[in-house]
Amino acid sequence: DRFHEVADAYCNHLAETKRTESGKAISDWGQTLIRQVDTLKRLFGNPQLSSWDSNGLDGLIQQLLSRPIAEKTGRPYSTKMLGALRTALTLCLKWAHRNNKYAWGLPPNYTFPPLNLKPLLEEERSRGPQLTSVYATEDIRLLWRYANPWQRLLTVLGLNCGLGQMEVATLRRD
């Protein structure tokens, strides 16, 4: 059995089972999974499934971790897309494992390793600045005027030292 054969059969299975409520069309989720499986076919080629033992499957995940270049954009796949491709790969191979038509099966006790990817610099920049709520000067003056000495101490530690509630709670007097 070859990967493309299994992937095509899985896509046919998705086309039959992932239907809209009316049953006339493939659902958005089904279409997305089919596109992702097609991407996996391009990335991994058409090897024999028998070559995918534990080490072979780990190699597939390593291939995703290497951030392959997307054909459309010419840039590395995003963290989100690689996570989606890993999910599609997992679903496809688990389906093949349960399907009696294929002699191949997942190695016993195999678990797919997580994708621990750091976001690309572009992804970090696209999020924009992380906004923090800021008190107006008038609000701080009002709090200061009505605060008791303990509350003023906490305010100073928070504003000047950047200490939060938990850090202040760990302070001890010598």
Side-chain angles (χ1 to χ4, degrees):
D1 297 322
R2 299 188 84 72
F3 177 59
H4 285 199
E5 176 189 341
V6 171
D8 290 340
Y10 180 63
C11 288
N12 290 337
H13 166 74
L14 292 173
E16 292 170 8
T17 58
K18 303 293 182 194
R19 309 295 287 180
T20 57
E21 287 184 23
S22 66
K24 295 180 180 176
I26 302 171
S27 68
D28 291 341
W29 172 238
Q31 291 176 12
T32 299
L33 279 174
I34 290 170
R35 281 193 306 273
Q36 290 169 350
V37 170
D38 286 339
T39 301
L40 291 171
K41 285 168 51 178
R42 283 194 305 277
L43 288 175
F44 299 144
N46 194 18
Q48 289 283 344
L49 288 183
S50 59
S51 67
W52 285 355
D53 57 3
S54 295
N55 292 331
L57 293 173
D58 287 346
L60 297 178
I61 299 300
Q62 286 303 317
Q63 193 172 343
L64 292 178
L65 286 170
S66 71
R67 295 225 184 230
I69 305 297
E71 287 182 359
K72 274 187 185 177
T73 62
R75 295 188 316 223
Y77 282 110
S78 69
T79 305
K80 186 175 180 181
M81 180 61 174
L82 290 172
L85 289 174
R86 180 200 177 276
T87 300
L89 175 66
T90 303
L91 292 173
C92 179
L93 293 180
K94 284 183 177 181
W95 175 84
H97 175 77
R98 289 189 309 268
N99 195 323
N100 295 334
K101 181 180 176 187
Y102 304 105
W104 178 84
L106 287 169
N109 301 323
Y110 182 79
T111 55
F112 287 89
L115 284 182
N116 294 324
L117 290 168
K118 293 186 178 168
L120 295 170
L121 188 58
E122 298 168 3
E123 294 171 337
E124 287 289 334
R125 287 183 182 153
S126 70
R127 291 183 192 167
Q130 300 297 319
L131 300 177
T132 307
S133 57
V134 178
Y135 290 104
T137 307
E138 300 82 33
D139 293 338
I140 294 174
R141 278 193 193 119
L142 184 64
L143 288 171
W144 192 262
R145 182 181 308 153
Y146 294 104
N148 62 36
W150 176 251
Q151 292 167 330
R152 286 183 180 168
L153 172 68
L154 295 177
T155 303
V156 168
L157 288 172
L159 293 174
N160 293 343
C161 303
L163 296 181
Q165 202 172 14
M166 295 306 291
E167 289 92 355
V168 170
T170 61
L171 294 177
R172 299 284 177 247
R173 187 186 319 182
D174 285 338

